[in-house]
Amino acid sequence: MLYLDKLLAQLAYPLGLLFLLALLALLLWLIRWRRTGAGVLCLGLAWVWLWSMPVASDALRASLESRFEYVPADALPEADAVVVLGGGINVGPPQWPYPNLGPAADRVWHGARLYHADRAPWVIVSGGSVPWRERERVEAHAMREFLVDLGVPASAVLLETDSATTRGNAVYTARLLEDKGLERVLLVTSALHMERALATFRAAGVEAWPAPTDFEVEPLPADLLRWLPDAQALADSTRALKEYLGLWVYRWRGWAE
């Protein structure tokens, strides 16, 4: 099921949708509906161009990030535990001596900040491995290593190693919290991901308070270059569209508030 979900999601993103529209345009051209086919292809190209513009990408991401305030660690309420979601560390194959930090590694760093600010006595790291990368180490283990490097005692870190999705993060963490007798948590993830993550955790029965980090969008003037297509802007737009699509699917399935 996870494979199918990933495949369908890829086809809904800008490049995947362009691929489908290009196939449709080719089919229309073969049956001699060439003007219609050309129109379909132009539509696909325009869609990709739109989300390749930094100005459009920033606006889309800001629509998610602006829902949460970026506040200092000591300004957040105290809780029973800090829950840090995976997705920020590339653990790599078993022979690698150390994991690599990814763009969202701020998640783990912020979890350490909250612990050192005495916001909670426990840090729960939530992240397993996807089926097609089973030979890699489990991300939660790498996250714990990083937390220890940042001064968090290993004895204060709890592992959730079974999840491969945001839904899994919520369900398996909820079970761990129940087993440990913990209730209120500070939920740490990227600001772009927080809307879906928070709704999913609350739907799973977790009393979660948002502690977002990894804010990406900065106020920049809309100069000419920001209206031109850019590969990174397209990748950033795709991640934001993934969050909107994921939130819609989760709510449709009853997995998110």
Side-chain angles (χ1 to χ4, degrees):
M1 186 65 178
L2 184 57
Y3 285 99
L4 180 60
D5 286 347
K6 293 293 184 182
L7 176 61
L8 293 176
Q10 289 297 325
L11 294 176
Y13 300 150
L15 284 179
L17 187 58
L18 174 60
F19 174 74
L20 290 179
L21 291 176
L23 288 179
L24 177 58
L26 177 60
L27 176 62
L28 292 169
W29 186 86
L30 290 174
I31 64 174
R32 300 185 182 278
W33 289 15
R34 296 181 178 177
R35 288 188 178 180
T36 304
V40 168
L41 182 58
C42 288
L43 178 63
L45 291 172
W47 185 248
V48 171
W49 181 292
L50 171 65
W51 299 122
S52 297
M53 293 188 299
V55 67
S57 176
D58 284 0
L60 182 65
R61 287 181 293 147
S63 68
L64 288 166
E65 293 190 346
S66 61
R67 303 178 189 188
F68 301 95
E69 187 178 1
Y70 200 2
V71 298
D74 57 9
L76 289 166
E78 294 183 4
D80 296 324
V82 174
V83 176
V84 182
L85 302 191
I89 295 182
N90 176 19
V91 296
Q95 63 267 27
W96 285 9
Y98 307 108
N100 289 332
L101 301 184
D106 286 349
R107 300 179 184 187
V108 186
W109 200 300
H110 199 49
R113 287 193 195 103
L114 293 170
Y115 177 82
H116 290 307
D118 296 323
R119 297 301 90 189
W122 296 100
V123 180
I124 299 174
V125 288
S126 177
S129 60
V130 292
W132 51 90
R133 300 180 71 175
E134 288 180 341
R135 297 184 63 183
E136 291 188 353
R137 292 176 293 175
V138 175
E139 187 177 9
H141 294 161
M143 293 165 70
R144 178 175 61 183
E145 291 177 23
F146 188 23
L147 283 170
V148 171
D149 288 343
L150 294 172
V152 178
S155 58
V157 182
L158 301 176
L159 302 177
E160 184 286 293
T161 61
D162 296 319
S163 59
T165 64
T166 303
R167 162 71 170 169
N169 291 145
V171 170
Y172 293 120
T173 300
R175 294 177 185 175
L176 178 59
L177 292 169
E178 185 177 4
D179 291 342
K180 296 293 184 180
L182 306 175
E183 296 180 0
R184 192 179 194 191
V185 306
L186 293 174
L187 181 61
V188 178
T189 189
S190 301
L192 193 72
H193 181 234
M194 181 58 77
E195 178 81 4
R196 179 161 62 105
L198 187 63
T200 306
F201 268 74
R202 288 176 174 173
V206 178
E207 184 183 349
W209 185 272
T213 187
D214 187 33
F215 283 76
E216 302 177 12
V217 181
E218 302 177 21
L220 296 172
D223 58 43
L224 177 61
L225 292 178
R226 293 178 50 74
W227 291 90
L228 298 178
D230 177 84
Q232 185 59 54
L234 179 59
D236 292 339
S237 295
T238 300
R239 290 187 295 109
L241 290 169
K242 173 187 174 182
E243 291 305 320
Y244 274 113
L245 178 62
L247 183 59
W248 179 82
V249 170
Y250 273 33
R251 284 175 173 164
W252 175 63
R253 290 177 172 176
W255 293 352
E257 287 186 352

